[in-house]
Amino acid sequence: MLGLKNDVNLLADYDPSWIDAYAEEKARLDVALGDIAKAIEHFGSTSVPGMRAKPILDIIVGVSPFEDWERCKAPLESIGYDFVANAGIPRHHIFGRGRDLTERTHILHVVDYDTEEWSLNLAFRDALRNDAALREKYIAEKEHAAAVAPEGRARYTALKSSFISGMKGRLASIMRPFTRA
């Protein structure tokens, strides 16, 4: 089941129904956003089979030009998302939704499509999907973060950030010769 109260950091065992929940949400997003979205991907821990995760779907929407993110606001609000101003992730415009305002079931990131930022988020997801040892290391990081910060998303995220940025740095050094910046 999807959903977690705001500011609570609780990991759940992987649930295969998360894939179907994403497919249903993607269909809703395709209709709402139309050609504004160049691509829509399931990219958080719930997209990685076997990964313990907060039971919240993380979705990334690519737009180009990046200024088109503003064209996403009204369509997303029309299907229950709210804009999270000052979310603290550079060049990510964050929207969330839940059954009510006290929880989140979905977090949506609007980013610049076909850039290194877009590619690194998907490469990190794919590395976790394909490397059991990396997945286990990341699960340990997440479990530690949830234990140290059972409340407060900012602290939980900060505790995981060096692992994520280190992994994305390694991925970037491999990818750079093959992608445009």
Side-chain angles (χ1 to χ4, degrees):
M1 179 152 179
L2 288 175
L4 193 59
K5 291 293 180 189
N6 293 341
D7 290 326
V8 173
N9 300 313
L10 178 69
L11 300 180
D13 288 335
Y14 178 76
D15 184 341
S17 72
W18 292 339
I19 299 301
D20 293 334
Y22 165 73
E24 290 173 18
E25 192 64 11
K26 184 179 184 308
R28 292 177 73 234
L29 292 166
D30 282 336
V31 170
L33 295 174
D35 65 355
I36 300 169
K38 302 302 180 202
I40 301 171
E41 294 279 343
H42 187 191
F43 82 111
S45 294
T46 58
S47 73
V48 179
M51 176 71 74
R52 288 180 50 77
K54 292 190 315 291
I56 300 170
L57 293 183
D58 285 308
I59 299 169
I60 191 166
V61 173
V63 296
S64 183
F66 186 52
E67 293 72 29
D68 276 0
W69 84 266
E70 292 177 359
R71 292 179 53 210
C72 295
K73 196 167 189 269
L76 289 172
E77 289 171 344
S78 77
I79 61 170
Y81 283 86
D82 56 273
F83 178 59
V84 183
N86 305 313
I89 304 174
R91 298 196 53 84
H92 284 232
H93 295 286
I94 309 295
F95 294 81
R97 79 174 186 90
R99 284 176 282 278
D100 60 43
L101 294 176
T102 68
E103 71 166 4
R104 289 289 188 231
T105 55
H106 300 72
I107 301 290
L108 187 144
H109 300 240
V110 179
V111 303
D112 200 357
Y113 177 66
D114 205 21
T115 60
E116 186 172 82
E117 178 66 19
W118 171 265
S119 298
L120 283 175
N121 278 292
L122 299 181
F124 183 55
R125 174 203 63 194
D126 293 346
L128 290 168
R129 285 178 173 174
N130 295 317
D131 185 335
L134 177 63
R135 191 168 47 251
E136 289 304 316
K137 287 179 188 172
Y138 188 44
I139 290 169
E141 288 287 325
K142 291 164 58 91
E143 288 174 343
H144 172 74
V148 170
E151 295 178 348
R153 296 273 164 79
R155 176 85 171 120
Y156 171 81
T157 300
L159 288 164
K160 301 182 311 171
S161 69
S162 66
F163 181 89
I164 294 169
S165 61
M167 187 61 210
K168 284 183 177 181
R170 286 190 288 283
L171 290 167
S173 68
I174 294 166
M175 293 169 44
R176 254 186 216 115
F178 305 104
T179 61
R180 69 180 179 87

